[in-house]
C-alpha cells in the first residue's frame, strides 16, 4: 500500500496540476464561448493578428491568464508576465524599453498584468505612453470592476472583455480531464465515482483553478494498491471541508454574507451587522467591495432620512484606499454602525426605480420647449426657451413652467417618509404642491 502524498522524491519537483494542464490553444480551452468561439469579436481579432490592448474582467479561475497566454502564442508575440504584487515602476519601465527595441525589429510584445487593480496610479500611468505608441499590447486581468480600479486614461485605451465563472458542467469536464491526465502520468487505474466529481464541481463555485487544486489534493492523498487508486467518500469530504469553512469570495456564500450585512443594517441590528462585517474581513474579503456596498446602502435604505450616511460611507471608502487592511476595518465598522442606527427610508430608491420605468417607455418624448437651452438665434426663432421664467426671480423660488414631458405631467416619483430629516422634505413638497394648485 502506497500513499502518493508521501512519495516526495517523485512529486516535489512537479508544478501544480492547474499549471501543467493549462491549455495552449482554443481547442482545449473550456468556457467563455461568448468571447472566444468562432466568429466572436475577440476570436476574429486574434485570428487576424490585430488584437488591441484589453482588460479581462472576471472571477478567479475563469481563465484570464490562460486566455492571455493563448493569445500570445496564436499571435506569435513575446509574452511578459507582470505581477501587480511584486512589480514596481522600475520593472515596468525596464520591460517597456526592451519592448520598444523588439518593436523596431518587427516583433510584438504582449505584457500581461495579473491583478492590474492592485497597481497604483503611478504604476498604471507608466504603461500609458507605450500602449499609445504601440510598443506593447497590454492585457490586464482583474477580479474587480475596472471602472473603479483602472485609471480612466488607461481604461479608455483598452477593450474590456467580461469573463464569467465556469458552469458546473465545465468544471466537471475539467475534473474528468484532470483524472485522466493524472492516471496517464502516473500509470494508475483510478476509481473516481461520478458523484464525487459532482461534489467537487459544486464546491469549486465556478473556479477552475480551485477545482483542479482540490482534485489534485484528493488524488495525491489516495491510497494506491497494485496500481489502483480508490477515491473514498471520506477523502472527498476532507478535501472539501476546508472549502466549506473558507469564505469563497466569488461563490454563493459570498453573496449570502453580503446580503446578511445589508439586511442587518436595514433592520437596524447593529450587532448582527458588525458580526457579518467581521466575517467578511477575517475571511479576506476586499474592503473596497464592502465599502461600495455600504455606499449603495446609504442611498438605497437611508436616503434623505439622513444624508450624512452617504457622506460617511464615501469617506469610509476613501479611508480603505488610504489605510488598507487591517487598519481600515475600524473605518468600515464606523460606517456600518452609523448606517445601522440611522433612520431608514427607501423613498429615493423607489423614486429612481419608478422614474427609470417611465424613462424607458418614453425615450422619444421631447424636452418641453420652455426649458430647452437656446444658445443660437435659430433656436430662439424655433421657440427654444420661450416663456422660461427664472426661479430666482420669483418670490417663492417656484416658477410656473412645465418641466416634465407632456405625457408625464403631474406624475410623482418621490414620496418622502416621516423618518429622520426626510420628514422635513415631506413638508416642503406639500407646500410646493399647494403652490402649483394655485396656478
Amino acid at each position: 500500500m502506497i500513499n502518493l502524498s508521501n512519495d516526495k522524491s517523485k512529486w516535489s519537483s512537479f508544478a501544480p496540476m492547474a499549471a501543467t494542464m493549462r491549455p495552449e490553444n482554443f481547442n482545449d480551452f473550456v468556457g467563455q464561448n461568448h468571447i472566444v468561439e468562432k466568429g466572436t469579436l475577440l476570436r476574429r481579432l486574434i485570428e487576424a493578428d490585430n488584437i488591441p490592448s484589453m482588460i479581462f474582467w472576471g472571477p478567479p479561475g475563469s481563465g484570464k491568464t490562460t486566455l492571455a497566454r493563448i493569445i500570445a502564442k496564436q499571435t506569435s508575440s513575446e509574452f511578459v508576465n507582470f505581477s501587480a504584487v511584486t512589480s514596481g515602476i522600475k520593472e515596468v519601465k525596464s520591460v517597456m524599453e526592451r519592448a520598444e527595441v523588439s518593436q523596431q525589429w518587427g516583433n510584438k510584445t504582449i505584457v500581461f498584468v495579473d491583478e492590474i487593480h492592485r497597481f497604483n496610479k503611478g504604476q498604471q500611468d507608466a504603461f500609458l505612453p507605450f500602449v499609445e505608441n504601440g510598443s506593447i499590447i497590454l492585457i490586464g486581468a482583474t477580479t474587480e470592476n475596472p471602472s473603479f480600479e483602472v485609471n480612466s486614461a488607461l481604461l479608455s485605451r483598452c477593450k474590456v472583455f467580461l469573463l464569467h465563472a465556469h458552469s458546473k458542467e465545465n468544471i466537471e469536464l475539467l475534473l474528468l480531464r484532470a483524472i485522466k491526465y493524472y492516471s496517464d502520468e502516473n500509470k494508475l487505474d483510478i476509481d473516481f465515482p461520478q458523484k464525487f466529481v459532482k461534489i467537487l464541481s459544486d464546491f469549486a463555485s465556478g473556479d477552475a483553478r480551485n477545482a483542479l487544486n482540490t482534485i489534485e489534493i484528493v488524488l495525491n492523498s489516495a491510497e494506491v494498491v497494485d496500481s489502483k487508486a480508490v477515491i473514498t467518500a471520506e477523502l472527498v469530504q476532507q478535501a472539501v471541508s476546508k472549502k466549506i469553512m473558507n469564505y469563497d469570495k466569488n461563490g454563493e456564500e459570498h453573496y449570502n454574507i453580503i446580503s446578511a450585512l445589508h439586511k442587518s443594517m436595514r433592520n437596524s441590528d447593529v450587532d448582527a451587522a458588525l458580526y457579518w462585517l467581521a466575517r467578511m474581513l477575517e475571511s479576506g474579503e476586499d474592503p473596497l467591495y464592502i465599502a461600495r456596498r455600504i455606499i449603495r446602502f446609504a442611498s438605497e435604505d437611508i436616503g434623505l432620512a439622513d444624508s450624512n450616511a452617504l457622506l460617511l460611507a464615501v469617506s469610509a471608502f476613501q479611508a480603505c484606499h488610504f489605510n488598507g487592511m487591517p487598519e481600515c476595518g475600524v473605518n468600515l465598522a464606523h460606517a456600518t454602525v452609523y448606517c445601522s442606527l440611522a433612520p431608514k427610508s427607501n423613498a429615493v430608491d423607489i423614486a429612481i426605480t419608478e422614474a427609470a420605468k417611465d424613462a424607458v417607455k418614453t425615450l422619444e418624448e421631447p424636452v418641453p420647449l420652455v426649458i430647452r437651452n437656446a444658445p443660437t438665434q435659430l433656436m430662439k426663432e424655433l421657440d427654444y426657451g420661450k416663456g422660461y421664467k427664472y426661479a430666482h426671480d420669483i418670490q417663492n423660488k417656484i416658477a410656473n413652467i412645465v418641466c416634465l414631458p407632456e405625457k408625464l405631467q403631474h406624475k410623482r416619483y418621490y414620496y418622502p417618509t416621516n423618518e429622520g430629516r426626510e420628514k422635513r422634505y415631506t413638508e416642503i413638497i406639500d407646500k410646493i404642491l399647494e403652490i402649483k394648485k394655485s396656478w
Side-chain angles (χ1 to χ4, degrees):
M1 188 175 291
I2 304 172
N3 190 313
L4 294 181
S5 62
N6 294 327
D7 191 359
K8 295 182 180 179
S9 62
K10 189 173 182 179
W11 302 110
S12 60
S13 62
F14 277 21
M17 186 180 290
T20 57
M21 287 188 60
R22 190 186 298 277
E24 296 184 353
N25 55 62
F26 286 117
N27 291 333
D28 296 330
F29 188 80
V30 174
Q32 312 308 334
N33 290 341
H34 63 291
I35 60 172
V36 300
E37 69 180 3
K38 282 281 188 180
T40 58
L41 173 65
L42 179 58
R43 187 68 175 267
R44 292 200 305 269
L45 290 170
I46 295 169
E47 291 172 347
D49 198 1
N50 190 28
I51 64 169
S53 291
M54 62 188 81
I55 302 291
F56 290 147
W57 173 25
S62 56
K64 299 184 292 294
T65 303
T66 298
L67 188 53
R69 288 183 177 275
I70 291 176
I71 291 172
K73 188 171 183 179
Q74 294 278 329
T75 58
S76 300
S77 303
E78 180 184 356
F79 186 86
V80 180
N81 197 343
F82 261 107
S83 169
V85 177
T86 59
S87 303
I89 294 179
K90 182 178 179 181
E91 290 82 2
V92 172
K93 290 183 176 179
S94 175
V95 170
M96 296 306 104
E97 290 171 0
R98 295 200 300 272
E100 285 189 315
V101 173
S102 295
Q103 185 189 30
Q104 294 172 5
W105 289 93
N107 299 320
K108 295 181 180 180
T109 301
I110 289 179
V111 175
F112 177 70
V113 184
D114 196 14
E115 298 185 287
I116 194 171
H117 59 276
R118 293 185 181 272
F119 265 24
N120 59 37
K121 185 180 185 299
Q123 290 169 313
Q124 291 187 25
D125 284 345
F127 289 111
L128 270 176
F130 303 99
V131 171
E132 287 181 330
N133 65 24
S135 297
I136 66 164
I137 298 168
L138 175 67
I139 301 181
T142 178
T143 57
E144 302 296 325
N145 189 330
S147 299
F148 296 115
E149 305 300 336
V150 179
N151 289 354
S152 57
L154 187 59
L155 185 61
S156 68
R157 291 162 175 81
C158 298
K159 170 66 178 174
V160 176
F161 290 97
L162 178 63
L163 281 71
H164 304 307
H166 286 290
S167 66
K168 289 182 180 180
E169 292 75 17
N170 283 345
I171 293 294
E172 287 183 28
L173 174 60
L174 290 171
L175 291 175
L176 292 173
R177 282 187 186 179
I179 295 169
K180 185 179 186 309
Y181 172 85
Y182 194 94
S183 174
D184 293 343
E185 286 291 309
N186 302 290
K187 297 179 175 57
L188 289 174
D189 178 17
I190 301 176
D191 181 9
F192 207 119
Q194 181 65 25
K195 63 180 180 180
F196 295 159
V197 173
K198 289 186 177 294
I199 289 173
L200 294 181
S201 173
D202 288 341
F203 284 105
S205 298
D207 184 336
R209 185 185 304 107
N210 180 277
L212 293 174
N213 288 341
T214 303
I215 199 169
E216 185 173 21
I217 291 172
V218 172
L219 291 167
N220 279 338
S221 301
E223 292 186 338
V224 179
V225 180
D226 297 330
S227 297
K228 182 174 182 179
V230 179
I231 309 302
T232 64
E234 181 182 6
L235 184 58
V236 172
Q237 180 58 42
Q238 289 176 353
V240 299
S241 64
K242 182 177 181 181
K243 182 68 173 60
I244 294 170
M245 291 186 293
N246 280 347
Y247 174 78
D248 177 6
K249 292 194 288 183
N250 294 277
E252 178 183 351
E253 197 64 6
H254 162 80
Y255 297 105
N256 286 341
I257 294 183
I258 194 64
S259 174
L261 171 64
H262 195 125
K263 290 170 182 173
S264 296
M265 290 193 295
R266 177 182 291 157
N267 204 45
S268 301
D269 192 331
V270 64
D271 297 307
L274 284 170
Y275 169 76
W276 295 118
L277 171 65
R279 272 277 292 270
M280 285 188 287
L281 292 176
E282 292 302 317
S283 300
E285 179 58 86
D286 181 359
L288 293 177
Y289 169 78
I290 302 173
R292 286 195 292 270
R293 291 303 300 260
I294 295 176
I295 291 172
R296 165 76 189 192
F297 179 91
S299 291
E300 179 182 347
D301 286 277
I302 298 174
L304 292 173
D306 185 352
S307 293
N308 285 330
L310 179 58
L311 300 177
L312 187 64
V314 172
S315 294
F317 179 87
Q318 293 173 328
C320 290
H321 259 303
F322 296 147
N323 290 338
M325 282 293 290
E327 286 80 4
C328 71
V330 69
N331 304 125
L332 290 173
H334 184 167
T336 297
V337 170
Y338 190 98
C339 288
S340 296
L341 300 180
K344 304 298 189 298
S345 170
N346 66 344
V348 170
D349 184 43
I350 292 173
I352 188 60
T353 300
E354 293 303 312
K357 292 178 182 177
D358 279 346
V360 170
K361 296 175 184 175
T362 59
L363 288 175
E364 304 302 322
E365 282 295 302
V367 175
L369 285 171
V370 68
I371 57 172
R372 293 191 192 185
N373 193 26
T376 69
Q377 184 60 36
L378 175 61
M379 290 179 173
K380 291 177 182 177
E381 292 173 359
L382 294 174
D383 290 339
Y384 280 36
K386 184 178 180 179
Y388 176 69
K389 298 174 183 177
Y390 191 49
H392 291 286
D393 291 338
I394 311 299
Q395 183 174 3
N396 58 23
K397 307 301 180 186
I398 302 172
N400 184 3
I401 58 175
V402 175
C403 297
L404 275 170
E406 185 176 354
K407 289 184 178 180
L408 296 175
Q409 287 184 28
H410 310 299
K411 189 72 182 277
R412 281 193 64 183
Y413 300 110
Y414 179 52
Y415 291 88
T417 69
N418 288 321
E419 298 299 322
R421 296 183 181 181
E422 201 165 39
K423 183 177 181 180
R424 172 61 177 156
Y425 295 105
T426 300
E427 298 169 357
I428 293 173
I429 289 178
D430 287 344
K431 288 182 179 179
I432 294 171
L433 293 175
E434 284 297 319
I435 292 171
K436 288 185 175 182
K437 286 179 182 178
S438 67
W439 292 344

